[in-house]
Amino acid sequence: MRSEAEVMADERVSALVDDLIGRVADKWTMLVLEALEEHGLQRFTQLGRRVPGISQKMLTQTLRQMERDGLVERTVHPVVPPHVDYCLTSLGSSLSEAFCGVWLWAEANLRKVEAARTAFDRRE
Amino acid sequence: MRSEAEVMADERVSALVDDLIGRVADKWTMLVLEALEEHGLQRFTQLGRRVPGISQKMLTQTLRQMERDGLVERTVHPVVPPHVDYCLTSLGSSLSEAFCGVWLWAEANLRKVEAARTAFDRRE
DNA sequence: CTGGATCCCGTTAGATACTG
DNA sequence: CAGTATCTAACGGGATCCAG
């Protein structure tokens, strides 16, 4: 049988996991992750073009967070004009791989979701 | 070779996929999905307890959206006091399965992320 | 009493302009 | 080029209110 301490430890851990999921299951994080995975090392502005709809602010913020979480490596080249590039760490790569299933799901089930939406809206 | 029309169609599709990812890669959606997958059919309030930190407002909103997208089925029993329960559709189940890799990743790499964070914060 | 809608408020995202 | 600053608009949380 499991001790009370073990149960409490598990609860703390799953709270942390939920927290991490909350961080990582974010629209921009996923999209940036995908852009970095697909096109490899690239610069800030390139990356921005690869993630349609993102603002520079959210791009900066998302990249900072991903860097802090160890998903992305940021390299500053001390030149003028400034040159900064980003690439996935192995941790970031592994997350991207984990997200692969979601991408496939989205591609495969896009039509079903659209159908469900129109059916739902009609029902209103 | 691919016609211009095909390329444009692909771009529209990938925009739609990005959009769908944006909807589905949401903290609360993922957490609700997981709670429904793990505990099966359940009522509004139960579900709320299973997703720690969610407000009733976001629970309602998330469930409505998931219902509209065909991920969740909502059943109202016309009794007093009201009884409403929710369960995953097969589409919802398949998404939950697709997310499975992310959950495993989060559990497996929690420590690495924490380490990366403290290292990053120390560097400041 | 449950499920959920509404209102108010603080936080956050987005657009634009500006800087080293 | 790669951000930061600023403003506004939208969103999330909490309390309250309502219908069955």
Side-chain angles (χ1 to χ4, degrees):
Chain A
M1 150 169 187
R2 298 157 47 73
S3 75
E4 200 165 322
E6 282 174 322
V7 173
M8 286 185 58
D10 269 18
E11 279 170 9
R12 267 200 306 278
V13 168
S14 69
L16 289 173
V17 170
D18 281 16
D19 234 58
L20 183 52
I21 291 288
R23 283 282 173 88
V24 129
D26 166 70
K27 177 185 178 178
W28 297 131
T29 302
M30 270 201 68
L31 262 21
V32 168
L33 202 66
E34 174 69 5
L36 281 170
E37 172 73 17
E38 193 171 345
H39 302 282
L41 178 138
Q42 57 202 298
R43 302 176 62 172
F44 184 84
T45 310
Q46 286 179 305
L47 202 41
R49 271 189 302 254
R50 253 78 187 244
V51 184
I54 198 169
S55 62
Q56 332 82 300
K57 182 182 170 182
M58 287 315 294
L59 184 55
T60 304
Q61 202 172 109
T62 303
L63 284 169
R64 279 286 189 293
Q65 192 143 216
M66 291 173 77
E67 189 193 358
R68 188 172 108 96
D69 289 348
L71 304 175
V72 153
E73 190 177 338
R74 176 172 180 267
T75 311
V76 181
H77 302 278
V79 294
V80 176
H83 185 122
V84 180
D85 43 35
Y86 295 89
C87 64
L88 291 184
T89 61
S90 60
L91 190 59
S93 250
S94 68
L95 177 56
S96 162
E97 211 173 309
F99 268 127
C100 193
V102 182
W103 284 93
L104 294 174
W105 181 92
E107 280 170 22
N109 296 103
L110 183 56
R111 295 296 166 85
K112 286 186 190 170
V113 171
E114 282 176 344
R117 282 179 191 168
T118 56
F120 182 90
D121 293 347
R122 186 175 315 277
R123 223 176 288 129
E124 294 310 272
Chain B
M1 146 164 191
R2 298 158 47 74
S3 75
E4 200 165 322
E6 282 175 324
V7 173
M8 286 185 58
D10 269 18
E11 278 169 11
R12 268 202 305 280
V13 167
S14 70
L16 289 173
V17 169
D18 280 17
D19 233 58
L20 182 52
I21 291 289
R23 281 283 174 87
V24 128
D26 167 69
K27 178 185 178 179
W28 296 131
T29 302
M30 272 203 66
L31 261 20
V32 168
L33 201 67
E34 172 69 7
L36 281 170
E37 171 73 18
E38 192 171 347
H39 303 283
L41 179 140
Q42 56 202 298
R43 304 178 60 174
F44 184 84
T45 311
Q46 287 178 304
L47 201 42
R49 270 188 303 254
R50 253 81 186 241
V51 184
I54 198 169
S55 62
Q56 337 80 297
K57 185 181 172 180
M58 287 316 293
L59 184 55
T60 304
Q61 203 171 109
T62 303
L63 284 169
R64 278 285 186 291
Q65 190 140 212
M66 292 173 76
E67 190 194 358
R68 189 172 108 96
D69 289 347
L71 303 175
V72 153
E73 189 176 339
R74 175 171 181 268
T75 311
V76 181
H77 302 277
V79 295
V80 177
H83 184 122
V84 180
D85 44 36
Y86 295 88
C87 64
L88 291 185
T89 62
S90 59
L91 190 59
S93 252
S94 68
L95 176 57
S96 162
E97 212 172 307
F99 268 127
C100 193
V102 182
W103 282 93
L104 293 174
W105 181 91
E107 281 171 21
N109 296 103
L110 184 56
R111 293 297 165 85
K112 285 186 191 170
V113 172
E114 282 176 344
R117 282 179 190 166
T118 56
F120 181 90
D121 293 346
R122 186 175 315 277
R123 225 177 287 130
E124 296 309 271

